[in-house]
């Protein structure tokens, strides 16, 4: 039987969430750091089955079932070991390895390389207490790195010597070729003697997810072309697939439900000393796709802590662009921009841990960063400029692969565009909130401020252009503009597929935003002046008597509003039912965690929407009718 490389099996476990895998067979409920549910291996009425995502195992206290992803698939699908690995590799999007003689040699060498890196880490640490290590100790003292932190992070020192480390390793019977392969020693192409890669540097061991040393990062203590130097790619180490401190931070991230991403080693150490032990750092590069996936294993919305200068903003934008195609329901990024000129280490030392916590609490969501970056430097004086801004936002959302997430981003940006236009007539003053623009809209401005939570809900209102529904919703408002006083946000959030209805909808919003005490005659007058007379006439002639009676101007307002809200809820429910069907079809075609999560979200939204229609008790009585919907 083929022996799979340990790194391959570790990567499968990292990529396939144990709780999501088991959650397909039995409903799991998160309780603290663990999940619990009914055991899928025996019949029980009281949950005795737990899943520990952090430690990577499940256990049933009733029947004793215990294992990881591999064992679970073997037991539940009746597969042998190889078939199980093939199944999990497919779920993880990984190619199965082909076992060749040279690969077996490489696998055995990897185990040996781990030993080499551990010996090197111990040697670097030992150099801290030598006479030559004084410069490193003084540097750490100036940076206020405590002895405990030095010990926990295994900080070491590489002497300013061309071959000191190599000679020490050779004395320990480690062959030169392994030192070269591990990236500790450089062999010149011209045939000259090899020499130490790291010299006169503070050394930071880099570990894998299991805490094994796989590489080093070195900070220059004297003059050097590169301030920081990392190990090269080796059989153990690929810098785009690893995060500094990820082994230690993982358990803490599970505890607090979040993970912080700083820029460098010293930032991570400073954060840990201030109580933020759930911090990691990329290794001198922008965050990669693989690193984002690792972060999502720790927490669904990692927070990037970046300098507030132009370089920090560029780094934030690069991370945002990198994550867009990967977004899935519930998983994103947040951005905490530090005061210009300060990194996390500086901020904590100057202002304390509380200042850092305050900064993290104010972190921007990804949607805000994308909006601000797209808006930056733009003039919004003319319709053409506004249209260009809208087109740029649409270009951003098209990078999102997940259809559900993309749809919500499009709705979010449409709502913000509407709010931007409503805050003033356009132009640069539209970004100056809290001034005359708020007063201009009177009752509706107050409604917006007090109804922010409602606003988030009404963005889920369906495409009201389905069939007759869109026309009926607008006709009711045309004949009963008072609906806008109580349900302005819900009306504004409607998304209409018909171009004509959409233009009429936008015109009603604009008129209602600038005019007060609108009645039916006044609203239609303003719309007619804008060229909508024919559209209004067509809507009124399309009324279907008894079926649409609540939309008629003769209907009592309470009946008109109840009918309107009931129709909105029905259309929303229809949209959610369609979304559930689509999600079920996708899951049936491709059993992935993303498709499963999409179905869960759709089902939850539909369950929450059930029964939310307007109360129709007494509907029609005020209008002299005895029939409802």
């Amino acid at each position: 039987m083929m022996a799979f490389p340990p790194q391959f099996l570790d990567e499968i476990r990292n990529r396939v969430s144990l709780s999501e895998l088991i959650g397909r067979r039995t409903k799991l409920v998160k309780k603290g750091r663990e999940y619990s549910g009914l055991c899928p291996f025996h019949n029980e009425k009281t949950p005795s089955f737990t899943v520990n995502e952090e430690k990577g195992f499940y256990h049933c206290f009733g029947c004793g079932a215990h294992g990881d992803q591999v064992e679970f698939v073997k037991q539940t699908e009746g597969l042998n070991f190889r078939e199980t690995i093939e199944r999990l590799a497919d779920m993880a999007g990984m190619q199965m390895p082909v076992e060749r003689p040279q690969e077996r040699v490489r696998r055995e060498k990897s185990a040996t390389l781990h030993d080499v890196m551990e010996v090197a880490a111990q040697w670097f640490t030992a150099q801290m207490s030598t006479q030559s290590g004084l410069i490193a100790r003084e540097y750490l003292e100036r940076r206020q790195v405590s002895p405990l932190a030095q010990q926990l992070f295994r900080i070491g020192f590489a002497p300013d010597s061309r071959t000191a480390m190599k000679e020490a390793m050779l004395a320990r019977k480690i062959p030169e070729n392994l030192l070269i392969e591990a990236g500790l020693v450089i062999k010149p192409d011209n045939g000259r003697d090899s020499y130490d890669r790291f010299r006169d540097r503070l050394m930071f061991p880099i570990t894998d997810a299991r805490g094994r040393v796989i590489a080093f990062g070195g900070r220059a203590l004297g003059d050097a072309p590169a301030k920081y130097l990392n190990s090269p790619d080796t059989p153990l180490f690929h810098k785009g697939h690893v995060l500094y401190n990820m082994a230690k931070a993982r358990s803490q991230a599970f505890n607090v439900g979040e993970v912080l991403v700083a820029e460098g080693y010293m930032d991570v150490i400073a954060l840990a000393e201030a109580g933020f032990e759930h911090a990691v750092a990329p290794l001198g590069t922008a965050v990669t796709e693989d690193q984002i996936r690792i972060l999502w294993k720790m927490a669904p919305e990692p927070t990037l802590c970046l300098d507030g200068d132009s370089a920090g903003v560029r780094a934030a934008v690069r991370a945002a662009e990198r994550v867009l195609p990967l977004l899935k329901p519930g998983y994103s990024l947040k951005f905490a921009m530090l005061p210009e000129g300060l990194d996390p280490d500086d901020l904590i030392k100057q202002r304390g841990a509380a200042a850092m916590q305050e900064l993290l609490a104010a972190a921007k969501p990804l949607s805000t960063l994308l909006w601000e970056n797209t808006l930056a430097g733009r003039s919004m004086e003319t319709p053409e400029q506004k249209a260009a801004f809208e087109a740029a936002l649409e270009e951003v959302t098209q990078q999102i692969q997940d259809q559900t997430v993309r749809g919500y981003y499009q709705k979010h940006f449409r709502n913000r565009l509407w709010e931007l236009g409503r805050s003033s007539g356009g132009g640069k003053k539209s970004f100056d909130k809290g001034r005359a623009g708020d007063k201009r809209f009177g009752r509706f401005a107050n409604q917006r401020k007090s109804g922010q939570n409602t606003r988030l809900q009404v963005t889920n209102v369906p495409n009201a252009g389905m069939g007759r529904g869109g026309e009926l919703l607008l006709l009711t408002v045309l004949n009963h503009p008072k609906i806008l006083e109580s349900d302005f946000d819900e009306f504004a959030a409607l998304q209409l597929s018909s171009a004509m209805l959409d233009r009429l909808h936008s015109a009603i919003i604009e008129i209602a935003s600038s005019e007060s005490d609108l009645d039916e005659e006044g609203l239609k007058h303003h719309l007619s002046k804008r060229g909508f007379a024919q559209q209004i006439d067509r809507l009124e002639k399309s009324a279907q008597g008894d079926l649409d009676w609540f939309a008629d101007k003769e209907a009592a307002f309470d009946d008109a509003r109840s009918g309107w809200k009931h129709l909105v809820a029905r259309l929303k429910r229809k949209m959610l039912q369609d979304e559930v069907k689509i999600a079920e079809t996708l899951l049936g075609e491709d059993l992935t965690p993303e498709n499963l999560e999409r179905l869960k979200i759709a089902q939850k939204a539909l369950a929450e929407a059930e029964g939310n229609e307007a109360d129709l008790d007494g509907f029609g009585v005020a209008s002299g009718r005895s029939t409802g919907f």
Side-chain angles (χ1 to χ4, degrees), residues 175-382:
E176 182 181 13
N177 66 306
L178 285 184
L179 296 174
I180 295 170
E181 192 164 6
L184 295 169
V185 164
I186 297 174
K187 178 66 175 177
D189 293 334
N190 59 13
R192 298 180 63 182
D193 290 343
S194 60
Y195 57 91
D196 295 351
R197 177 179 298 275
F198 299 101
R199 291 167 288 168
D200 195 22
R201 289 180 181 269
L202 199 65
M203 299 297 291
F204 301 89
I206 300 167
T207 68
D208 61 13
R210 295 166 61 181
R212 298 174 299 183
V213 179
I214 57 174
F216 292 94
R219 189 202 187 284
L221 294 174
D223 293 332
K227 180 179 177 181
Y228 281 97
L229 178 66
N230 289 329
S231 292
D233 280 358
T234 71
L236 301 182
F237 175 64
H238 300 281
K239 64 181 178 181
H241 303 169
V242 180
L243 291 161
Y244 178 65
N245 195 46
M246 67 181 186
K248 290 187 179 73
R250 184 167 57 175
S251 61
Q252 295 300 321
F254 273 99
N255 289 338
V256 299
E258 66 177 4
V259 60
L260 310 181
V261 186
E263 292 195 54
Y265 309 114
M266 295 300 294
D267 292 328
V268 169
I269 294 170
L271 284 164
E273 290 216 82
F276 303 96
E277 299 177 64
H278 47 291
V280 297
L283 303 173
T285 62
V287 178
T288 67
E289 286 90 344
D290 282 334
Q291 289 171 336
I292 289 170
R293 293 187 181 98
I294 293 171
L295 290 167
W296 281 345
K297 293 288 184 182
M298 300 183 188
E301 287 189 280
T303 300
L304 274 61
C305 305
L306 299 166
D307 294 347
D309 57 13
S310 58
V313 172
R314 288 195 300 271
V317 172
R318 285 198 301 271
E321 292 172 345
R322 188 68 58 86
V323 78
L324 277 174
L326 308 178
L327 291 177
K328 55 185 180 179
Y331 291 84
S332 187
L333 294 177
K334 293 189 293 186
F335 300 84
M337 307 306 294
L338 291 131
E340 189 166 356
L342 297 180
D343 56 26
D345 188 11
D346 297 327
L347 180 67
I348 291 168
K349 287 180 172 58
Q350 292 180 22
R351 306 182 189 177
M356 189 70 209
Q357 184 60 58
E358 184 177 338
L359 187 80
L360 295 173
K364 297 177 182 179
L366 174 63
S367 58
T368 298
L369 180 83
L370 293 170
W371 170 274
E372 292 178 348
N373 179 62
T374 309
L375 182 59
R378 289 181 179 272
S379 175
M380 300 290 283
E381 299 286 347
T382 68

Side-chain angles (χ1 to χ4, degrees), residues 73 110 141 321 342 349 359 379 467 476 479 493 496 574 629:
V73 172
S110 292
E141 186 176 351
E321 292 172 345
L342 297 180
K349 287 180 172 58
L359 187 80
S379 175
T476 308
N479 286 330
L496 299 137
K574 174 63 169 61
F629 268 93

Side-chain angles (χ1 to χ4, degrees), residues 130-171:
T130 64
Q131 181 61 36
S132 63
L134 177 62
I135 184 176
R137 298 195 300 273
E138 290 177 340
Y139 174 82
L140 292 175
E141 186 176 351
R142 288 196 304 273
R143 295 294 298 266
Q144 300 177 38
V145 179
S146 70
L148 178 60
Q150 296 178 40
Q151 179 181 353
L152 288 175
F153 286 91
R154 303 185 67 183
I155 300 175
F157 173 65
D160 188 11
S161 167
R162 186 174 176 83
T163 59
M165 193 278 302
K166 182 182 81 169
E167 292 170 1
M169 296 298 103
L170 292 175

Side-chain angles (χ1 to χ4, degrees), residues 472-487 491 508 518-521 523-524 548-561 564 623:
L472 196 53
L473 286 170
L474 290 188
L475 180 60
T476 308
V477 169
L478 285 172
N479 286 330
H480 300 274
K482 193 177 177 182
I483 288 174
L484 297 174
E485 296 185 11
S486 55
D487 303 285
F491 176 78
I508 293 172
L518 278 174
D519 57 13
E520 174 252 340
E521 184 178 343
L523 176 58
K524 291 178 180 176
D548 299 344
W549 66 266
F550 66 90
D552 191 86
K553 60 184 176 182
E554 300 301 328
F557 171 73
D558 288 344
D559 289 335
R561 181 171 183 259
W564 187 85
S623 302

Side-chain angles (χ1 to χ4, degrees), residues 428-441:
K428 296 178 181 177
K429 289 185 180 179
S430 64
F431 310 114
D432 191 7
K433 298 182 179 179
R435 295 173 63 179
D438 283 340
K439 297 177 182 178
R440 178 181 172 221
F441 306 118

